[in-house]
């Protein structure tokens, strides 16, 4: 689950199923990967953010 938070709005949670046919689901709308350029950009952005976060916590 990925949660986005902003002080001006309620948090938004997305369930990201990473096995099989990948999907994003917010509880009302489900978006499959299926050759979607915007889904691919989202995946790349999330992976970069997680790698940057991991790099910050593993530096010595």
């Amino acid at each position: 689950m990925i949660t986005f938070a902003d002080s001006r709005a309620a948090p938004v949670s997305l369930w990201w199923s990473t096995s099989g046919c990948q999907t994003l689901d917010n509880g009302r709308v489900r978006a499959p990967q299926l050759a979607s350029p915007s889904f691919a950009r989202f995946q790349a952005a999330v992976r970069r953010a997680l790698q940057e976060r991991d790099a910050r916590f593993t530096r010595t």
Side-chain angles (χ1 to χ4, degrees):
M1 181 171 63
I2 303 166
T3 302
F4 297 93
D6 184 320
S7 62
R8 299 166 293 181
V12 175
S13 296
L14 294 175
W15 292 90
W16 183 3
S17 175
T18 59
S19 61
C21 182
Q22 295 187 29
T23 58
L24 286 173
D25 185 346
N26 70 358
R28 292 185 301 144
V29 179
R30 188 173 188 202
Q33 181 182 21
L34 299 174
S36 169
S38 58
F39 195 102
R41 287 190 296 273
F42 174 80
Q43 282 179 298
V46 168
R47 282 197 179 105
R48 275 193 308 274
L50 293 175
Q51 288 169 345
E52 290 170 7
R53 182 209 57 189
D54 290 347
R56 282 195 309 266
F57 289 109
T58 57
R59 289 186 187 143
T60 56

